[in-house]
Amino acid sequence: MRRLPDQKIVVVGAGLVGSALAWGLARNGLRPMVLDGEDLSLRASRANFALIWVQGKGVGAPHYAHWTMQSARLWPAFAAELRDVTGIDVGLKQKGAFTFCLNERELELFTSDVVNVARDLKEDAPEHVVLDHRETAKMVPGIGKDVIGSIFSPMDGDVNSLRLLRALHWGMIKLGANYQPHHEVTSIAPQARGFVLRGSWGEVFTERLILSAGVGTPSLAAMVDIDAPTVRSKGQILVTEKCAPFFPYTSATLRQTDEGGIMIGDSQETNSDQISTNQDISTVLADRAIRTFPCLTNVNVVRSWAGFRVKTPDGLPIYEESRTYPGAYVTMCHSGVTLAANHALIVAQEIAANAGLLAGDAFPGRRFHVSEN
């Protein structure tokens, strides 16, 4: 079996979470080895909607609302530093975002979310405003008559997620990371001074490791005695041909990319193991998009895809060092784009400093096994 040179620290997984952490570790003077899977591995990083989203996040979990807001505020500096290191503009746009509502029930539900978050955070709450149809149309003249109202939050935005992933990969390598694609890890054997990671490619010993393998994280986490449960959540996205600019903001269900195409999304399947798209869902997504922006009626859809979210039972991230095997960390979350700035600038720095607790110990996996006694 091929044996790679011993390492001080290894990151398992190079999606948006793993590569942001590797970039941050390299930025802090470490030279992590990054073990990545195959080009066709299931990757949320290549199937996401690329939002930087604060609006309505943290209902009943104000610590998560604060964590999300912190990352959103760090994003401009993060994007600028990525550009300085790599020359890649990730297309950050933070002009604000709308949640468009097509009936009263939707408006009530989404308004309730932002109101509850604002109540919990008090003076620290993110700014938002609830708009009726006329007020929404004043800001977005192209909306359809079926949009009865909306919620607008000026902190939200989006990026070009493929350019972001490219910038993180190129940046971590420039800063000294050792990127190894086609190195999927299938087993972890804790040792006296560290861990032996194995796969069909061979094995490597590392003193410390970070598990950020997306949907593959739970099985690996169990090998270092960390519980990282996930629930099935599959989303689907449509992309149209390029259009002239018409929507300078973003929304939870529709956004115009910096290249001109329209991304349409916001679906969820909880009972599917298939990566294929569902035509019935595509029809619903397209119908809602046309009702929101009638100008899209004759625009062609050029591609679609589906992907599995990395989602815990309560929807919040997991950041935890193993108590049984110190030096092994789990980092996983659903909002890999929104939280990328936190991962690169905060969590990576904590790991580089050998911190035993990450993100203030606010998101440990052990929360799912709190004793009822």
Side-chain angles (χ1 to χ4, degrees):
M1 176 176 284
R2 176 179 172 233
R3 176 81 179 226
L4 298 179
D6 291 358
Q7 301 293 314
K8 292 289 186 181
I9 188 166
V10 167
V11 179
V12 179
L16 286 176
V17 176
S19 58
L21 288 166
W23 184 87
L25 291 172
R27 177 179 181 265
N28 279 276
L30 279 69
R31 294 179 176 273
M33 174 177 281
V34 184
L35 301 179
D36 201 8
E38 301 299 325
D39 289 341
L40 296 181
S41 296
L42 295 178
R43 294 179 184 270
S45 300
R46 290 176 178 160
N48 68 74
F49 208 57
L51 296 179
I52 298 168
W53 196 262
V54 171
Q55 185 181 141
K57 280 191 174 180
V59 178
H63 59 303
Y64 181 53
H66 280 296
W67 184 242
T68 300
M69 291 166 60
Q70 182 176 24
S71 194
R73 290 176 176 136
L74 286 172
W75 248 103
F78 177 47
E81 190 169 345
L82 278 174
R83 184 175 59 249
D84 290 343
V85 171
T86 67
I88 299 173
D89 183 348
V90 299
L92 174 65
K93 179 180 68 177
Q94 278 183 290
K95 296 182 178 180
F98 290 85
T99 296
F100 296 114
C101 301
L102 302 183
N103 57 59
E104 292 290 349
R105 179 59 176 159
E106 289 181 0
L107 188 58
E108 290 173 5
L109 287 172
F110 290 121
T111 299
S112 175
D113 284 349
V114 296
V115 167
N116 286 335
V117 171
R119 181 196 62 219
D120 289 343
L121 270 59
K122 299 181 174 61
E123 66 274 6
D124 294 330
E127 182 182 349
H128 76 273
V129 59
V130 180
L131 307 171
D132 61 19
H133 174 86
R134 181 185 61 80
E135 293 166 330
T136 304
K138 188 174 182 179
M139 293 184 68
V140 188
I143 62 164
K145 60 180 178 58
D146 288 351
V147 178
I148 67 160
S150 68
I151 301 167
F152 178 74
S153 172
M155 189 179 288
D156 297 327
D158 58 56
V159 297
N160 185 311
S161 62
L162 293 182
R163 266 194 254 148
L164 171 60
L165 189 60
R166 171 60 178 159
L168 288 170
H169 277 217
W170 179 228
M172 68 182 181
I173 292 169
K174 286 193 70 174
L175 292 172
N178 177 5
Y179 175 62
Q180 295 289 333
H182 316 298
H183 280 63
E184 181 179 355
V185 173
T186 55
S187 73
I188 302 171
Q191 307 286 304
R193 297 183 301 104
F195 310 86
V196 174
L197 313 180
R198 295 187 176 96
S200 60
W201 44 271
E203 65 180 33
V204 64
F205 172 85
T206 181
E207 295 178 15
R208 295 198 293 159
L209 76 152
I210 303 170
L211 301 177
S212 300
V215 294
T217 298
S219 61
L220 296 175
M223 299 176 192
V224 293
D225 200 26
I226 297 179
D227 188 40
T230 57
V231 295
R232 179 70 66 181
S233 180
K234 174 183 168 184
Q236 189 166 310
I237 291 174
L238 307 179
V239 181
T240 75
E241 61 188 322
K242 296 178 181 179
C243 307
F246 74 95
F247 184 39
Y249 304 99
T250 193
S251 82
T253 58
L254 183 151
R255 72 182 189 87
Q256 186 165 28
T257 71
D258 56 333
E259 296 167 338
I262 313 302
M263 294 184 70
I264 302 164
D266 194 34
S267 68
Q268 181 164 203
E269 292 180 80
T270 59
N271 59 354
S272 175
D273 293 321
Q274 302 300 314
I275 196 61
S276 57
T277 58
N278 182 308
Q279 190 62 40
D280 292 337
I281 290 175
S282 296
T283 299
V284 172
L285 293 177
D287 176 69
R288 286 187 63 91
I290 291 170
R291 291 172 66 193
T292 303
F293 285 102
C295 64
L296 297 177
T297 301
N298 295 317
V299 174
N300 294 312
V301 171
V302 294
R303 61 185 180 275
S304 65
W305 65 76
F308 291 107
R309 298 178 178 92
V310 184
K311 198 168 185 179
T312 64
D314 62 8
L316 307 186
I318 294 176
Y319 310 111
E320 184 173 2
E321 182 181 23
S322 173
R323 294 181 172 183
T324 308
Y325 304 108
Y329 297 88
V330 163
T331 57
M332 58 183 286
C333 71
H334 162 51
S335 299
V337 175
T338 299
L339 297 178
N342 277 353
H343 296 157
L345 304 178
I346 297 176
V347 178
Q349 185 172 6
E350 292 174 336
I351 294 174
N354 290 294
L357 302 177
L358 304 181
D361 201 30
F363 308 101
R366 61 182 180 277
R367 68 182 181 268
F368 297 108
H369 292 284
V370 175
S371 173
E372 295 180 359
N373 297 325

